Amino acid sequence: MDRHETALSPQLTRAMAAIEADVERAVDDLSRMVAIDTSFPPGEGYDAFADLMEQLLAPLDFESRRVVVPEPLWRVEGGPASGPRTNLVARHATGKPVCGLYYHVDTVPVAPGWTRNPLRLTREGDTLYGLGAADMKGTIAASLLALRAAREHDVAFAYDPMLLLCTDEEGGLYPGVRHLAEQGMLEGHIVNFNGSAAARIWAGCFGVFHLQLSIKGHAVHAGEGNRTGAGINAIEGALPILNALQALKPEIASRESTLPPPPHATGPLQPQLTISAIHGGTSGGQVPAEVKVLISRRYAPEESYEEARAEIETIIRASGNAIADIGIDIQLVGHLIPTSDPYGPHWPRWQDALCLGFGYRPDDFRKWGAASCSDFGYVQQITGMQEVILSGLGRPESCIHSPEEHTTCPDIIALAKTILAYLSKEFASDRIPELLP
């Protein structure tokens, strides 16, 4: 008999059955979460989301604390007005070792192409559509489902769960978990649910930084724009810069990382340069005075952030000289540093729990990294907490960061069972590091 097939106690068995029977409660919770717009940018829904989470956690006897990231840390000069960066730390403290359960509560903005209302959970059979359904509000719903089942069926825990509901992971300058780490508020070990439902052992990930490029000209009536000394067209001034950045893309993409790629990859993981957004101009009757370009650079752990940024800025300033009197300003508006190999002593038991919840076999698991990014590089750097367990609801077909993002009821049930087993004192007790001699 494999480890994950070991007989469970009557209490844990009943709790596992309750997860399946009560999945509609999780769907209702997820519906309420999706209805709160926490998209970043701009990040205006965090207080409302914290209100909801306090309401949902109160019956479970969790004590909640709001931790607001000071505005000077995250505010970008000239950026749009937005709401307070309210993080919620909720814990059920009984004196046991702490297991942190991490979630980022922000989503990406709504992309064009949705055929369903992205801020309303739409159920079609077992499929649940909505912004953040998979990334990652569905993981919060799964966690609540597990915690309720444990409470209602007297499942004894090996760990005191501490929920970390954090802000600004989707590209922010100062993600909430970074601030919590700096405030010394992280304890024990942490399960990060910003990952996939795959049989994956996380090997770490790339970093990413975002530069806001402002190209400034001078606005005049468009009919005067061809007169010497009149307007300076910022959009036309941006063209040499955009062309130079486009020419740099393949050079950056030719570099390779030693981070192990996913099993489906056709080659090694590679850095990326992306022109992510452009805003400028007002009307056909006016020479545009300013254009803003958002540049995103994903960099491998082997690369230097300082060198990668300097490479881009050097090309921008050199190519910007092609048009006289164009003003150039470059500002860092987001940065997540790479996460190094997070493997640690708690992983084998989490893998056992995944086998129980999702039905995986131990030999299904493969270790790989990603060019996607995480805010846990800051946690490793600040706290020295190297180990991070990564899991979640993401699948290739989940449309994360895309129109029609979705998860499924079976995956929410499977993740809830995984969480319940892992927190349980009886499950694979001989693999609980805190109990080992």
Side-chain angles (χ1 to χ4, degrees), residues 227-419:
R227 180 167 55 84
T228 303
I232 301 172
N233 191 313
I235 293 178
E236 292 177 0
L239 294 177
I241 298 174
L242 296 176
N243 288 333
L245 291 173
Q246 189 69 15
L248 180 61
K249 282 174 62 76
E251 180 180 339
I252 289 176
S254 69
R255 303 165 192 170
E256 298 179 354
S257 174
T258 58
L259 202 62
H264 61 271
T266 58
L269 293 172
Q270 297 168 306
Q272 302 170 22
L273 173 65
T274 305
I275 300 172
S276 301
I278 299 179
H279 303 281
T282 56
S283 72
Q286 184 184 65
V287 170
E290 185 175 24
V291 61
K292 291 183 178 291
V293 181
L294 182 65
I295 303 161
S296 300
R297 170 69 156 88
R298 295 182 181 272
Y299 65 102
E302 300 90 344
E303 294 184 283
S304 159
Y305 157 68
E306 291 79 10
E307 292 178 2
R309 180 174 174 178
E311 179 181 44
I312 294 173
E313 294 196 12
T314 298
I315 284 180
I316 288 173
R317 297 194 185 281
S319 55
N321 292 331
I323 296 183
D325 299 323
I326 284 288
I328 294 176
D329 179 70
I330 305 171
Q331 187 177 13
L332 180 70
V333 295
H335 188 198
L336 299 176
I337 65 176
T339 302
S340 59
D341 190 340
Y343 189 87
H346 293 87
W347 170 260
R349 188 165 171 272
W350 180 261
Q351 181 173 315
D352 287 343
L354 285 170
C355 289
L356 183 148
F358 284 88
Y360 293 124
R361 310 294 298 183
D363 58 4
D364 291 335
F365 286 81
R366 299 292 182 271
K367 186 173 185 176
W368 74 84
S372 58
C373 305
S374 170
D375 42 11
F376 268 73
Y378 289 119
V379 173
Q380 290 179 330
Q381 181 186 77
I382 295 165
T383 68
M385 185 188 298
Q386 186 67 25
E387 181 185 25
V388 184
I389 296 172
L390 184 72
S391 194
L393 291 173
R395 292 189 182 275
E397 65 272 20
S398 297
C399 300
I400 289 175
H401 290 198
S402 304
E404 318 304 352
E405 179 183 351
H406 62 274
T407 188
T408 67
C409 290
D411 273 357
I412 286 177
I413 290 170
L415 183 59
K417 288 183 175 181
T418 300
I419 294 167

Side-chain angles (χ1 to χ4, degrees), residues 87-270:
N87 299 264
L88 191 71
V89 178
R91 63 187 307 165
H92 183 73
T94 67
K96 297 183 179 70
V98 172
C99 176
L101 306 176
Y102 164 85
Y103 323 83
H104 68 78
V105 304
D106 56 324
T107 71
V108 295
V110 175
W114 279 85
T115 61
R116 303 166 179 86
N117 184 343
L119 296 178
R120 175 185 169 190
L121 191 71
T122 301
R123 182 169 184 174
E124 298 178 7
D126 278 338
T127 305
L128 307 170
Y129 294 89
L131 186 63
D135 183 25
M136 54 184 296
K137 293 176 179 179
T139 68
I140 305 174
S143 299
L144 293 174
L145 186 59
L147 293 170
R148 288 193 189 110
R151 178 180 174 82
E152 292 169 2
H153 295 279
D154 298 318
V155 175
F157 277 177
Y159 299 105
D160 283 342
M162 180 168 70
L163 278 62
L164 308 166
L165 298 141
C166 297
T167 58
D168 284 15
E169 188 273 344
E170 298 288 6
L173 188 61
Y174 223 91
V177 75
R178 175 181 179 179
H179 183 63
L180 297 183
E182 290 175 340
Q183 299 305 305
M185 298 185 66
L186 304 183
E187 300 179 37
H189 69 289
I190 297 178
V191 182
N192 177 349
F193 290 105
N194 194 24
S196 72
R200 174 193 184 186
I201 303 171
W202 194 30
C205 63
F206 279 31
V208 64
F209 60 90
H210 307 284
L211 299 177
Q212 182 75 65
L213 169 62
S214 298
I215 301 165
K216 300 178 182 180
H218 178 65
V220 295
H221 190 292
E224 299 294 321
N226 60 351
R227 180 167 55 84
T228 303
I232 301 172
N233 191 313
I235 293 178
E236 292 177 0
L239 294 177
I241 298 174
L242 296 176
N243 288 333
L245 291 173
Q246 189 69 15
L248 180 61
K249 282 174 62 76
E251 180 180 339
I252 289 176
S254 69
R255 303 165 192 170
E256 298 179 354
S257 174
T258 58
L259 202 62
H264 61 271
T266 58
L269 293 172
Q270 297 168 306

